Amino acid sequence: MTIKAKTAIALIGAGMLALGTMGLASAADEERKSIAPPDGHPLDEIISGYEFRSPETQALQDDDFENPAYLWVEKGQELWDTPEGKANKSCSSCHEDAAETMKTAGAEFPKYNEKLKKPVNMEQQINMCRTEHMEAKAWKWESEELLAMTAFVRNQSRGVPMNVKTDGLMKPFFDKGKELYYTRVGQLDMACSNCHEDNYGNHIRSDMLSQGHTNGFPTFRLKWQKVGSTHRRFKGCMKNIRATPYKVGSDEFVNLELYIAYRGQGLPVEAPAVRN
Amino acid sequence: MREVFRLAKSLVVAGLCAGAAFSAHADDKMASLKIVDGGIPASLTGVAGDVDKGRKAVVNRKQGNCLACHAVSSLDNQPFHGEVGPSLDGVSERYSDAQLRLILVDSKKVFEGSIMPSFYRTGGYQRVAKKFDGKTILSAQQVEDVIAFLKAQ
């Protein structure tokens, strides 16, 4: 199977070469194709989900004007400057120009939160800023507002290599996430690893399996016809194997997200990506 | 129809209760099947498999969905054959009926750590969605039908 994966990648590589005459590939393009993993990493090479999609889907992502997810980024930008809550503050009241202040944050979540003594992901950080710093209501998971703000903030870090901490205080959460990743669940009795580690590059029915990275989230899925969160995707994969998914925003999913972010350590943030 | 359904359900419940008295794994439908030399020699139902019904179960995405992972040349009219597992062409030349039956019932007994689902096992799972809990993916007769189909490839 690994051989097959390699040929598929080689084919994709050849396709890129053919397109090479149309413009030079940027450094970020090179990186998402294949980067060398850190020591002790489970993958031989780390490859962005982008590389496994069709040229049509890739083209939608390549052009910010064509990429339908930019509607959410624009909405997020508006919200960034909109004062809300009892404190009558906007995000920009404290964080000012997102292009400056959020340049790397999008690559660093889930991140350890001192107060909660556990990692939080981007959606949770945004909501904590709303409730604690703005005295506004938390946005609901998968609401247009939370998706828009997450897309906007992560978009500021586009091209920045994924860089989550996994040692020290993060270690126990990382280990739990790893365990979930390799645990078989559901009536179809599969672990994330069965598809995204053992079989990437192989077609499962019409879909070519990727390594299941999160560097593109929130992601516009053609199937959803809208942008969706990392946890929504996790849920979908669990439902497909006839398992009871964990809840969006649950500790389990945050731990899993942390572990998966590490599996994609070094991949450039692509948010908001386009997938089928 | 409804009568039959209710009957099936009560049989399952009866099976559960009776099983529990004997062993921890007795809630598993597999528990009563005899594995001999890496295969299950006895038919699960005693009723000969039906190739056409087997074909349907193989293709149906809510049943076998075998094409998600396997290619089958005789089903070229179906779009998108998967490449996770080997082609099933000529598979009965490689395995006896008994072996095929065990591969279908519980693939992991034949291929350690396989991604292939166990189509007639109910025990030993985690976090199964309520809708599917305690149920097998294929019915006993469907397993026999699929074997008949595989032998025709």
Side-chain angles (χ1 to χ4, degrees):
Chain A
M1 305 299 148
T2 337
I3 311 261
K4 240 190 259 164
K6 296 269 156 59
T7 9
I9 302 304
L11 283 175
I12 293 169
M16 297 294 286
L17 277 183
L19 288 173
T21 48
M22 293 164 75
L24 282 175
S26 70
D29 284 344
E30 290 302 328
E31 280 160 11
R32 66 186 169 196
K33 234 180 278 173
S34 170
I35 58 171
D39 276 352
H41 195 278
L43 296 165
D44 297 337
E45 46 179 354
I46 303 179
I47 306 162
S48 170
Y50 171 92
E51 297 297 339
F52 298 88
R53 306 288 43 104
S54 70
E56 294 78 18
T57 310
Q58 291 179 340
L60 276 180
Q61 178 175 325
D62 289 340
D63 183 344
D64 293 355
F65 293 100
E66 294 274 323
N67 183 342
Y70 270 84
L71 291 175
W72 279 261
V73 174
E74 281 161 24
K75 174 97 191 288
Q77 171 133 44
E78 270 169 41
L79 291 168
W80 182 262
D81 293 317
T82 310
E84 262 194 81
K86 287 211 194 82
N88 196 33
K89 286 199 166 116
S90 69
C91 314
S92 56
S93 315
C94 296
H95 297 295
E96 301 180 347
D97 182 6
E100 295 288 329
T101 59
M102 296 294 149
K103 184 82 197 120
T104 56
E108 294 166 355
F109 278 81
K111 206 175 197 174
Y112 194 76
N113 185 279
E114 295 292 345
K115 217 189 218 166
L116 297 177
K117 307 238 172 297
K118 64 180 185 182
V120 296
N121 76 354
M122 181 58 83
E123 283 91 338
Q124 290 168 327
Q125 173 66 57
I126 292 170
N127 267 336
M128 281 164 55
C129 278
R130 283 182 60 82
T131 53
E132 286 170 25
H133 298 308
M134 297 164 68
E135 295 171 59
K137 263 199 181 155
W139 281 317
K140 268 179 67 183
W141 211 280
E142 230 55 41
S143 64
E144 292 299 303
E145 288 87 354
L146 189 54
L147 288 169
M149 185 58 80
T150 311
F152 172 70
V153 173
R154 272 205 108 192
N155 183 242
Q156 308 308 311
S157 309
R158 191 160 66 159
V160 175
M162 289 288 291
N163 180 27
V164 289
K165 288 223 161 46
T166 59
D167 53 357
L169 292 169
M170 290 292 260
K171 185 74 166 51
F173 303 96
F174 175 82
D175 289 343
K176 281 184 202 164
K178 180 175 179 181
E179 196 185 322
L180 286 177
Y181 191 84
Y182 287 101
T183 302
R184 289 176 185 260
V185 291
Q187 191 194 35
L188 301 193
D189 204 23
M190 292 178 201
C192 315
S193 59
N194 287 132
C195 284
H196 294 301
E197 180 169 312
D198 303 341
N199 278 295
Y200 67 83
N202 287 328
H203 274 97
I204 191 154
R205 210 94 193 213
S206 65
D207 235 345
M208 191 193 272
L209 285 165
S210 75
Q211 295 181 337
H213 291 302
T214 50
N215 58 316
F217 282 85
T219 288
F220 186 94
R221 268 193 86 187
L222 301 167
K223 182 182 156 192
W224 293 335
Q225 278 300 302
K226 68 186 296 260
V227 158
S229 71
T230 316
H231 291 193
R232 178 172 180 195
R233 180 54 119 152
F234 289 179
K235 238 174 97 172
C237 278
M238 288 188 76
K239 279 191 176 165
N240 284 345
I241 48 180
R242 302 185 173 179
T244 306
Y246 295 100
K247 297 218 154 52
V248 294
S250 63
D251 289 351
E252 287 89 352
F253 269 172
V254 175
N255 294 341
L256 188 57
E257 184 181 348
L258 169 65
Y259 177 67
I260 293 179
Y262 162 79
R263 294 180 68 90
Q265 196 84 300
L267 277 180
V269 172
E270 278 175 36
V274 181
R275 301 285 186 260
N276 49 298
Chain B
M1 265 317 272
R2 194 182 287 162
E3 220 53 48
V4 177
F5 180 62
R6 222 185 276 145
L7 179 65
K9 235 168 133 185
S10 60
L11 279 175
V12 172
V13 172
L16 273 174
C17 299
F22 295 105
S23 90
H25 288 292
D27 63 328
D28 193 333
K29 294 219 181 165
M30 248 195 90
S32 59
L33 306 178
K34 273 216 178 62
I35 300 176
V36 184
D37 295 335
I40 300 173
S43 160
L44 302 187
T45 59
V47 177
D50 179 307
V51 178
D52 287 333
K53 286 184 183 152
R55 182 181 302 111
K56 282 193 188 124
V58 162
V59 170
N60 191 314
R61 289 175 195 227
K62 298 209 156 116
Q63 294 171 8
N65 196 19
C66 317
L67 294 182
C69 295
H70 294 284
V72 182
S73 296
S74 74
L75 297 174
D76 269 351
N77 60 331
Q78 296 286 328
F80 309 126
H81 297 209
E83 14 180 67
V84 170
S87 161
L88 296 180
D89 290 355
V91 75
S92 62
E93 289 156 26
R94 300 193 283 280
Y95 299 98
S96 67
D97 291 13
Q99 286 170 324
L100 286 177
R101 194 172 285 112
L102 182 57
I103 291 174
L104 283 172
V105 165
D106 190 5
S107 56
K108 284 90 177 167
K109 288 262 189 318
V110 181
F111 310 114
E112 203 190 321
S114 184
I115 188 178
M116 178 164 152
S118 300
F119 289 95
Y120 197 72
R121 171 162 72 85
T122 51
Y125 293 113
Q126 288 193 51
R127 293 191 74 82
V128 176
K130 273 223 171 67
K131 201 173 146 193
F132 302 104
D133 203 14
K135 299 194 176 129
T136 58
I137 304 172
L138 293 178
S139 70
Q141 190 54 47
Q142 278 175 326
V143 170
E144 296 302 323
D145 295 343
V146 170
I147 294 170
F149 171 79
L150 290 177
K151 287 173 69 176
Q153 299 316 299

